[in-house]
C-alpha cells in the first residue's frame, strides 16, 4: 500500500496540532456524539480518520484512545502495531481478521473496506498511539535512572544513520532543560512543520524518512530506551 | 406478500411504513403496564446495555443506565453484574486481593442490596430479565450459589454469560436449586472446541440440563455462518432470548441493523407469529457517530417496524 508519502506527514503535523481546537471545521451536529468522540481535531483529515475508526467499530473494542475494552488487543503496546509501516501489517490483518484464537470472540475481518478506509483506520491508530506513548514516556518515573553507555549504543544503532556525528545532539543537551530535552527527543520540532505538496518538495525523501523514523521510534521506545538516551545526551554536555 | 416471500429492504420498508401508520395509533393508546413498555405486538423487547458503549458498566452509572432505558422505551434489561456489584479494584489493591474481596462480598451481600436495585428498576417500569455474569473456575460452588441467589433477588429469571461447554457442565446443578435457568450464550469462535458457536455446540450444551436455555446471539451466530432462522425453527422451545444485532457472515464485522447478514426482521416475525416467549434483547457493537440513546432508538425503530 503506497501511502507513505501521505500518511507520515499528516501524522506528524496532527500530533502537534492536536491541542488546538479545530476552528476551521463545522460545529458538531446535535446528533454527533461529541462527549464520546471528543472535540474535533485540528486536522480535518485526521478527524476523518478518527471517525472512520469509530464508524467501523474499532473504538468499541480497542478504545477511542487505544485503552482496550474486555479481551481486545492493547493497540497502544502491540508489537505488531509498533512494527507496522503504512498499513503493511495492519492492513492485511484487518482484511483477514483473526479467526483462530483462544479468545471468546475472534477479531472480525474487514475485507469489505476500501484501501482508503484501511489507511484511515491505520492512520488514526498510529496517531493515537503516538499521542499515548508520548504521554506515557514523558511522565515515566524512571527517566532519571538511565545508563549513558547503553544510551550511546542505542543511538549508534538507531540514530546515527541520520544524525551524523554528535555535534547537533550535544548542542541540544546543552541548550535544553531535562523536560524540554525529553520532549524534543520524543517529538522533534521539525515534525510540526506541515509537509508541502509543492512539486519541488514533493519528493523530499529525507524529511519524509525522518518523520517516519521518529514516529516509529516514538511508538516503540521503552522507558529504559528514553532514560538511557537522555543519560547519554546529557553526558555530551 | 406471502409469509414465504423473501424480504428485501425495499419491500420491507414499503409494507412496514403502511403498517406502522395504523399501528402507531393503537400503540399510543395501548394501556400496557410499565414493565411491558417494550412489549410490542406480542414481542417482548429489552436491551443488553453493552449498546451504551460510552457508559462504563459500574454501579455508579446505574441511574444513568435506567434513565437511558426509559428514554429508549425499554421495559426490560439484561443486567450485567458489574452494574450491581461494588468494585474493589482500587489503587493499592492487587487483582488477587480485589477478587477475594469480591468473593467475600458475594457470599455476604445483604438481600437489601439486590432488592433495592430491583425496586429502582421496577419504579421506572423496568424488569430485569437475566443477570449477566461470566462464570469461571475461580468461583467455588458457594460463590456460584451466591450469584444465583442475588440474581433471584433482582427478579431475574436466570443467569447468563460467556463461557464454554466445560463450564456449563459444571453449572448443571445450580439453576434448579434456585428455580432459575442458565443461559448459554454463543460467540463466533469456531476454532475453540469448548466454545458455544455452532448449532451443534449449543445443542450439546442444552442437552446437559433442561434448565439450560439458549441465548442465541444473532450477530455472532451469523458471523459463524449459522442459520438463525433454522436454529429457531428447530430449537425454539429451548431458546429464552435472542441477543438481537447484525453482523456480516464469515467472521464479518458488526453493522447497523439491516446492513449485515442477520435476518433480524424474519427472526422478529417468527417470534411474533408463533407467539414464542423468546425475549428480543437488542445488543450491538457497530460503530456510530451518534450518541448511544439515539442510536438505540434507531435500531429499536427498525425492530418495531418489523413487528407492527
Amino acid at each position: 500500500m503506497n501511502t507513505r508519502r501521505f500518511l507520515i506527514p499528516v501524522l506528524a503535523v496532527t500530533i502537534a496540532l492536536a491541542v488546538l481546537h479545530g476552528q476551521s471545521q463545522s460545529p458538531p451536529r446535535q446528533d454527533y456524539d461529541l462527549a464520546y468522540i471528543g472535540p474535533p481535531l485540528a486536522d480535518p483529515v485526521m478527524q476523518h480518520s478518527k471517525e472512520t475508526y469509530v464508524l467501523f467499530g474499532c473504538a468499541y473494542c480497542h478504545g477511542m484512545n487505544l485503552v482496550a475494552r474486555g479481551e481486545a488487543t492493547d493497540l497502544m503496546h502491540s508489537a505488531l502495531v509498533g512494527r507496522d509501516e503504512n498499513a503493511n501489517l495492519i492492513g492485511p490483518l484487518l482484511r483477514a481478521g483473526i479467526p483462530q484464537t483462544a479468545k471468546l470472540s475472534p477479531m472480525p475481518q474487514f475485507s469489505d473496506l476500501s484501501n482508503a478506509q484501511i489507511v484511515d483506520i491505520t492512520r488514526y491508530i498510529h496517531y493515537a498511539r503516538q499521542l499515548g506513548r508520548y504521554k506515557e514516556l514523558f511522565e515515566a518515573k524512571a527517566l532519571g535512572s538511565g545508563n549513558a553507555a547503553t544510551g550511546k549504543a542505542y543511538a549508534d544503532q538507531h540514530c546515527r544513520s541520520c544524525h551524523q556525528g554528535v555535534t547537533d545532539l550535544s548542542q541540544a543537551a546543552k541548550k535544553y532543560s531535562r523536560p524540554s530535552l525529553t520532549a524534543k527527543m520524543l517529538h522533534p520540532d521539525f515534525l510540526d512543520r506541515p509537509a508541502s505538496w509543492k512539486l519541488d518538495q514533493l519528493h523530499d525523501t529525507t524529511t519524509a524518512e525522518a518523520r517516519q523514523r521518529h514516529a516509529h521510534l516514538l511508538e516503540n521506545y521503552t522507558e529504559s530506551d528514553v532514560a538511557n538516551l537522555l543519560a547519554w545526551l546529557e553526558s555530551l554536555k | 406478500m406471502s409469509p414465504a416471500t423473501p424480504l428485501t429492504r425495499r419491500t420491507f420498508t414499503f409494507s412496514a411504513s403502511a403498517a406502522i401508520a395504523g399501528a402507531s395509533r393503537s400503540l399510543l393508546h395501548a394501556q400496557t403496564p410499565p414493565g411491558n413498555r417494550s412489549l410490542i405486538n406480542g414481542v417482548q423487547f429489552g436491551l443488553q446495555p453493552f449498546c451504551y458503549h460510552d457508559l462504563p458498566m459500574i454501579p455508579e452509572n446505574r441511574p444513568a443506565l435506567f434513565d437511558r432505558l426509559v428514554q429508549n422505551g425499554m421495559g426490560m434489561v439484561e443486567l450485567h453484574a458489574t452494574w450491581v456489584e461494588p468494585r474493589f479494584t482500587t489503587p493499592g489493591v492487587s487483582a488477587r486481593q480485589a477478587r477475594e474481596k469480591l468473593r467475600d462480598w458475594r457470599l455476604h451481600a445483604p438481600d437489601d442490596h439486590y432488592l433495592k436495585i430491583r425496586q429502582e428498576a421496577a419504579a421506572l417500569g423496568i424488569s430485569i430479565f437475566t443477570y449477566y455474569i461470566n462464570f469461571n473456575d475461580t468461583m467455588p460452588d458457594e460463590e456460584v450459589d451466591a450469584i444465583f441467589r442475588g440474581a433471584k433477588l433482582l427478579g431475574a429469571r436466570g443467569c447468563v454469560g460467556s463461557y464454554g461447554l466445560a463450564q456449563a457442565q459444571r453449572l448443571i446443578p445450580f439453576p434448579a436449586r434456585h428455580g432459575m435457568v442458565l443461559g448459554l450464550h454463543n460467540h463466533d469462535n469456531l476454532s475453540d472446541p469448548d466454545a458455544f458457536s455452532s448449532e451443534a455446540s449449543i445443542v450439546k450444551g442444552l442437552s446437559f440440563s433442561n434448565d439450560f436455555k439458549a441465548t442465541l446471539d444473532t450477530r455472532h451466530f451469523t458471523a459463524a455462518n449459522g442459520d438463525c432462522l433454522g436454529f429457531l425453527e428447530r430449537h425454539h422451545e429451548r431458546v429464552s432470548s435472542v441477543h438481537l444485532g447484525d453482523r456480516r457472515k464469515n467472521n464479518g464485522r458488526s453493522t447497523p441493523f439491516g446492513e449485515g447478514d442477520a435476518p433480524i426482521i424474519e427472526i422478529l416475525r417468527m417470534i411474533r407469529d408463533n407467539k414464542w416467549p423468546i425475549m428480543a434483547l437488542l445488543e450491538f457493537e457497530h460503530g456510530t457517530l451518534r450518541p448511544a440513546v439515539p442510536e438505540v432508538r434507531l435500531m429499536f425503530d427498525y425492530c418495531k417496524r418489523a413487528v407492527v
Side-chain angles (χ1 to χ4, degrees), chain B residues 144-203:
Chain B
V144 174
D145 272 320
I147 290 165
F148 270 96
R149 181 184 70 86
K152 182 108 178 171
L153 289 166
L154 286 169
R157 296 182 211 174
C159 293
V160 62
S162 296
Y163 32 78
L165 282 156
Q167 190 60 224
Q169 198 152 30
R170 177 244 173 158
L171 294 169
I172 288 172
F174 292 93
R177 283 185 205 162
H178 301 272
M180 302 181 82
V181 297
L182 181 79
L184 306 182
H185 171 236
N186 59 294
H187 286 256
D188 71 318
N189 190 344
L190 294 168
S191 69
D192 180 357
D194 185 60
F196 293 117
S197 53
S198 63
E199 179 170 347
S201 62
I202 300 172
V203 168

Side-chain angles (χ1 to χ4, degrees), chain B:
Chain B
M1 190 166 27
S2 75
T5 304
L7 281 166
T8 64
R9 189 176 299 187
R10 181 175 293 179
T11 56
F12 169 65
T13 305
F14 177 78
S15 57
S17 58
I20 202 166
S24 59
R25 284 192 294 277
S26 58
L27 283 174
L28 279 174
H29 299 288
Q31 295 297 310
T32 50
N36 285 325
R37 71 161 65 89
S38 51
L39 174 65
I40 297 173
N41 217 5
V43 179
Q44 179 64 60
F45 287 93
L47 193 86
Q48 231 294 354
F50 280 126
C51 298
Y52 299 133
H53 56 275
D54 60 322
L55 193 64
M57 302 193 307
I58 54 177
E60 293 83 349
N61 284 340
R62 198 172 56 242
L65 167 66
F66 288 166
D67 179 60
R68 287 186 180 195
L69 288 167
V70 173
Q71 286 185 60
N72 277 134
M74 290 292 176
M76 180 172 280
V77 67
E78 181 165 273
L79 198 62
H80 199 289
T82 58
W83 296 100
V84 172
E85 299 173 331
R87 288 176 301 154
F88 297 100
T89 51
T90 50
V93 177
S94 70
R96 184 175 176 180
Q97 288 171 323
R99 178 71 189 87
E100 286 169 3
K101 284 174 183 279
L102 177 60
R103 180 182 300 115
D104 186 64
W105 181 87
R106 284 170 174 163
L107 294 175
H108 302 98
D111 290 1
D112 278 357
H113 179 84
Y114 295 104
L115 292 172
K116 185 166 165 272
I117 295 169
R118 180 178 182 170
Q119 285 162 4
E120 283 172 15
L124 295 168
I126 299 164
S127 62
I128 298 167
F129 175 59
T130 32
Y131 192 55
Y132 197 96
I133 185 155
N134 295 331
F135 291 110
N136 59 60
D137 285 337
T138 72
M139 300 172 175
D141 287 357
E142 59 267 30
E143 188 176 4
V144 174
D145 272 320
I147 290 165
F148 270 96
R149 181 184 70 86
K152 182 108 178 171
L153 289 166
L154 286 169
R157 296 182 211 174
C159 293
V160 62
S162 296
Y163 32 78
L165 282 156
Q167 190 60 224
Q169 198 152 30
R170 177 244 173 158
L171 294 169
I172 288 172
F174 292 93
R177 283 185 205 162
H178 301 272
M180 302 181 82
V181 297
L182 181 79
L184 306 182
H185 171 236
N186 59 294
H187 286 256
D188 71 318
N189 190 344
L190 294 168
S191 69
D192 180 357
D194 185 60
F196 293 117
S197 53
S198 63
E199 179 170 347
S201 62
I202 300 172
V203 168
K204 184 174 180 184
L206 292 173
S207 73
F208 293 163
S209 166
N210 285 332
D211 300 321
F212 287 5
K213 303 289 182 188
T215 299
L216 182 68
D217 190 307
T218 64
R219 287 182 314 114
H220 296 320
F221 204 62
T222 299
N225 296 332
D227 171 10
C228 292
L229 297 175
F231 188 93
L232 287 173
E233 185 180 353
R234 288 185 285 277
H235 309 293
H236 59 90
E237 289 184 349
R238 300 299 306 278
V239 179
S240 60
S241 65
V242 289
H243 279 184
L244 200 63
D246 213 348
R247 274 185 74 175
R248 294 195 172 156
K249 288 181 178 175
N250 300 315
N251 192 33
R253 62 187 171 88
S254 292
T255 68
F257 289 19
E259 295 181 21
D261 295 314
I264 293 175
I265 295 166
E266 292 85 348
I267 289 168
L268 288 170
R269 290 184 172 178
M270 213 174 197
I271 293 172
R272 178 195 65 185
D273 293 349
N274 291 290
K275 302 185 187 332
W276 288 334
I278 296 176
M279 309 301 131
L281 305 174
L282 274 64
E283 184 192 33
F284 53 77
E285 293 179 349
H286 63 263
T288 175
L289 301 181
R290 280 183 286 271
V293 170
E295 189 68 22
V296 169
R297 186 177 300 132
L298 272 179
M299 300 304 115
F300 193 17
D301 283 349
Y302 180 91
C303 297
K304 289 176 186 171
R305 292 187 184 112
V307 297
V308 293

